[in-house]
């Protein structure tokens, strides 16, 4: 008998980049995200023979991050050896947050398969221990994570304020510096890090208010501020972390040009070169057309707002 769960990636509008000292993978700052719909991770869990076995797209993988996290879970929960089969319908590790949907789907599948009956807060706490952004994929729509509990908090459901995200894929290659490592470099070396941590708290509070008021312009302004500030922090690290390519920058200009022409849209970019343009549904065609015509853009993927992680029939 296998148990199947699905989860979607999320993108942060107010970014998380840096961890608090100590246990539990606690972020240094609150963050606010949207969960996407058409990109999906599907994970099947069965009870394995003697030790954990992981398969990605039916290929065996020895992913230390997953195996160590499973070992840590077993310190507090009764979990047998597992066979885990997982796959995404989108490029892995290219800045499309596959670890977020991956761990969110996995904890849901494990909870159901092992009959753990953990509550939503505990599930999102366990997902966060694997990957900070994974906690946010536990829920749909607009999601926050903040002190004191650092678990996913619903802000607006996926239907409450419809939004499209147009993703301009500028490469499908794996990114160079993984997030955890990049965050450690920024915290240790960037002179901007203290200012980033300090100022992100205010951005989060203001963005939460903008979402609750459905104020697109205010949210657009704060999301681009948080994104560019995070990349300023990354670039100001030593060695500088440059996640963009030439097409990334061209897309940012294209989004700014659209906005000057009166189209409601803003951009965000994570630890990879893809550009995500967020807009109301009525602007999606103009945004997709503009980004598709940027030299270097290989593919356009359009998503809406999606639900949180859940168990499904295989
Ligand atoms: C740039 O959640 O991947 O996407 O907790 O170390 O696994 P770990 O980091 P991760 O970092 C996400 C960074 C980001 C911004 C964000 O999603 O908030």
């Amino acid at each position: 008998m296998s148990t199947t769960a699905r989860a979607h990636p999320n993108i942060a509008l107010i970014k998380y980049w840096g961890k608090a000292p100590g246990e539990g993978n606690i972020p240094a700052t609150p963050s606010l995200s949207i969960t996407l719909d058409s990109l999906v991770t599907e994970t099947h869990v069965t009870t394995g023979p003697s030790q954990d076995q992981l398969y990605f797209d039916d290929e065996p993988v020895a992913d230390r991050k997953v195996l160590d996290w499973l070992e840590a879970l077993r310190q507090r929960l009764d979990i047998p050896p597992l066979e885990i089969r997982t796959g995404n319908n989108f490029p892995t590790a290219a800045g499309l947050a596959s670890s977020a949907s991956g761990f969110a789907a996995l904890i849901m599948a494990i909870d159901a398969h092992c009959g753990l009956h953990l509550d939503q807060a505990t599930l999102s706490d366990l997902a966060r221990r694997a990957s900070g952004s994974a906690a946010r994929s536990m829920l749909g729509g607009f999601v926050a994570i903040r002190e004191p509990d650092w678990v996913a908090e619903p802000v607006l459901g996926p239907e409450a304020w419809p939004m499209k995200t147009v993703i301009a894929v500028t490469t499908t290659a794996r990114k160079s510096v993984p997030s955890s490592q990049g965050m450690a470099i920024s915290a240790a070396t960037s002179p901007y890090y203290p200012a980033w941590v300090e100022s992100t708290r205010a951005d989060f509070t203001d963005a939460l208010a903008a979402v609750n008021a459905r104020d697109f312009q205010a949210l657009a302004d704060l999301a681009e501020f948080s994104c560019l500030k995070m990349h300023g922090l990354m670039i100001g690290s030593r060695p500088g972390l440059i996640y963009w390519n030439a097409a990334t920058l061209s897309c940012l200009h294209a989004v700014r040009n659209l906005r000057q022409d009166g189209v409601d849209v803003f951009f965000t970019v994570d630890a990879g070169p893809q550009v995500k343009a967020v807009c109301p549904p009525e602007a999606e065609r103009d945004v997709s057309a503009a980004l598709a015509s940027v030299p270097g853009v290989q593919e356009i993927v359009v998503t809406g707002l999606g639900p949180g992680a859940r168990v499904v029939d295989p």
Side-chain angles (χ1 to χ4, degrees):
M1 279 281 285
S2 94
T3 306
T4 301
R6 272 192 207 134
H8 303 276
N10 69 81
I11 51 173
L13 307 184
I14 300 300
K15 303 291 188 191
Y16 146 54
W17 193 256
K19 298 164 195 275
E23 289 273 282
N25 198 32
I26 305 282
T29 58
S31 58
L32 175 73
S33 60
I34 49 177
T35 302
L36 306 179
D37 63 358
S38 45
L39 309 179
V40 62
T41 298
E42 188 169 283
T43 300
H44 311 273
V45 167
T46 42
T47 304
S50 58
Q51 58 183 36
D52 294 327
Q53 283 174 328
L54 300 179
Y55 297 85
F56 186 80
D57 283 344
D58 292 326
E59 292 292 326
V61 285
D63 188 320
R64 265 298 13 124
K65 199 170 174 179
V66 177
L67 296 171
D68 291 349
W69 176 74
L70 286 169
E71 276 321 303
L73 289 187
R74 289 195 176 97
Q75 312 275 314
R76 44 200 281 200
L77 299 165
D78 187 16
I79 301 173
L82 298 173
E83 183 185 296
I84 298 164
R85 291 182 176 270
T86 190
N88 300 330
N89 70 345
F90 58 97
T92 304
L96 285 178
S98 60
S99 70
S101 50
F103 282 108
L106 184 53
I107 192 64
M108 282 308 285
I110 291 174
D111 178 64
H113 187 74
C114 304
L116 302 175
H117 307 296
L118 301 172
D119 60 27
Q120 186 57 240
T122 306
L123 290 169
S124 112
D125 177 89
L126 296 175
R128 190 207 61 243
R129 287 165 189 272
S131 192
S133 53
R136 300 185 311 234
S137 276
M138 297 305 296
L139 297 178
F142 288 81
V143 181
I145 150 167
R146 60 169 147 184
E147 61 254 282
D149 297 332
W150 302 100
V151 297
E153 235 178 86
V155 178
L156 284 183
E159 274 94 42
W161 192 23
M163 214 51 81
K164 292 283 183 189
T165 300
V166 177
I167 303 170
V169 178
T170 62
T171 176
T172 50
R174 289 183 84 86
K175 69 189 172 202
S176 46
V177 182
S179 302
S180 292
Q181 201 183 327
M183 288 181 197
I185 294 172
S186 294
T189 66
S190 176
Y192 308 139
Y193 187 72
W196 159 257
V197 171
E198 171 80 28
S199 64
T200 294
R201 293 178 192 286
D203 299 343
F204 172 82
T205 307
D206 293 350
L208 205 55
V211 171
N212 281 316
R214 319 276 208 278
D215 183 340
F216 187 85
Q217 299 309 332
L219 184 61
D221 177 60
L222 286 158
E224 289 193 356
F225 183 44
S226 178
C227 165
L228 292 177
K229 202 161 40 167
M230 178 183 75
H231 284 276
L233 166 70
M234 292 162 159
I235 290 168
S237 304
R238 195 167 176 178
L241 303 167
I242 306 172
Y243 286 106
W244 298 358
N245 58 33
T248 311
L249 189 55
S250 300
C251 288
L252 303 192
H253 286 300
V255 170
R256 287 266 164 108
N257 289 342
L258 281 167
R259 208 154 66 247
Q260 251 171 14
D261 293 345
V263 179
D264 279 344
V265 58
F266 63 85
F267 60 71
T268 189
V269 186
D270 292 300
Q274 329 300 8
V275 174
K276 295 104 179 195
V278 181
C279 61
E282 59 275 15
E284 185 264 301
R285 275 172 61 138
D286 285 346
V287 173
S288 292
L291 290 177
S293 70
V294 171
V297 170
Q298 304 191 355
E299 194 187 343
I300 294 290
V301 179
V302 180
T303 75
L305 298 186
R310 64 220 178 269
V311 170
V312 296
D313 285 336

